[in-house]
Amino acid sequence: MTSTGNSIVVVFRSDSSVTTSGFRISYEADWGNSCANGRCGELMNTAYSCQCNDQCTQYGDCCTDYGAQCQGDGGNVVEPVAPGTGGTACATSTGSSASSTELSCLAQLLWDSDVNRASGSQYALNLQGQIAQSAVSQHRDLASANLFTFMDEATLLTRDTYSAYVALFDNYVASTGTNEVVTSAETAEINAFINVIQGTDVIIKLHEFLAYKGLASSNLATFMADLREMWFGLYSRSSGAAMDSSGFEHVFLGEFKSGRVSGFHNWITMYLLERDGQADYHGYIWDKQPGILAAQLKWGSLYKDLGSMFYGTSPEFDLAMYTMCYVTSPDSLCRFNMAGVSVAIQTWSWANSSYGGGKRYLASAYAA
């Protein structure tokens, strides 16, 4: 019921507090971003920006306080670990800012925890010609052979996190300006990827650190729901013409925009495209320890002048490293030491739309 002037909006809901004539009545409140006020367990309600039922973790649309409000001690909560253990071992304070010392400690911890990292016997690269950074626009092909000379697909790409990643490979339209239609099967594949990386030490330790610093919910389900939306939530790179992009598509798979390849920062994607005859490797710009390559390639008829990527690392490690830098130092160059060398990751947030009450989608992240 509504009225004009000094208006009162009356909302008939099954979870409100006042009952009359068999209905429960409440005055409309700003509950759309919270599970407070009795929303726990309610049916899907598209009027709200986030949900509070046990399916929200599957679909990645939980409110940020879903764990605290609806799951409590019986929910999927990671109990605060003792300072000095797990991911908190790298936190020198509970403040929300992260120092380079803390980031170096966490990066090393994630590196050491990446049990799914490929061994040197599972793949081989042939770098061939080096392209001067000043000459990348000339598009000279200095590599007559493929970048990958070998990949042990049978043992590497069948690992849970790799196979879940590969399943996402054909879910996207590379060209911006075309709506991404996410089918139920594709939603299930996204959820499967989120679920399988959730159990890895890399993601667990990242979560422990961010939660201890107050940069993420201590509830694992809430954290993973936020991670899902941050990376997989759709936005428009075509000035609103289409919902055509996401952080995941841009960073991990790459896109076609303005006559060039945009994004594209994953070595498994490079391997799959090259294997299938879709990508032509032209040479490398730099190759840094502990396994970061800047390469030039031609995908179809379009060029990626310089695309940097970790190689040999697992999908969950890449996502964790980019997330670490995005959450702790968005829109800046994130510097830290890892595996005995200096590493830098640049991140960018998407400024034109948001989720979850003002949070920014991830726009891009790459090793610099």
Side-chain angles (χ1 to χ4, degrees), residues 4 66 108 116 118 128-129 151 154 176 179 201 204 270 296 311 342:
T4 58
Y66 170 69
Q108 186 64 48
N116 283 327
Q128 302 167 82
M151 177 73 79
T176 57
N179 278 310
D201 283 348
I204 289 171
M270 177 64 196
Q296 182 170 115
Y311 60 87
S342 177

Side-chain angles (χ1 to χ4, degrees), residues 186-261:
E186 290 170 349
T187 297
E189 289 173 346
I190 293 171
N191 294 335
F193 176 72
I194 291 295
N195 289 338
V196 74
I197 67 170
Q198 175 177 307
T200 64
D201 283 348
V202 168
I203 296 297
I204 289 171
K205 288 179 169 59
L206 172 69
H207 175 230
E208 289 171 346
F209 176 85
L210 295 178
Y212 188 80
K213 296 287 288 182
L215 294 167
S217 169
S218 63
N219 179 272
L220 183 59
T222 302
F223 171 69
M224 295 305 296
D226 183 70
L227 200 70
R228 185 191 191 283
E229 188 64 18
M230 179 195 306
W231 280 97
F232 289 92
L234 293 177
Y235 49 81
S236 176
R237 287 187 190 265
S238 53
S239 302
M243 297 294 281
D244 54 7
S245 186
S246 67
F248 179 82
E249 180 185 8
H250 182 84
V251 173
F252 282 86
L253 305 181
E255 301 175 291
F256 299 159
K257 187 175 189 291
S258 301
R260 63 186 182 90
V261 177

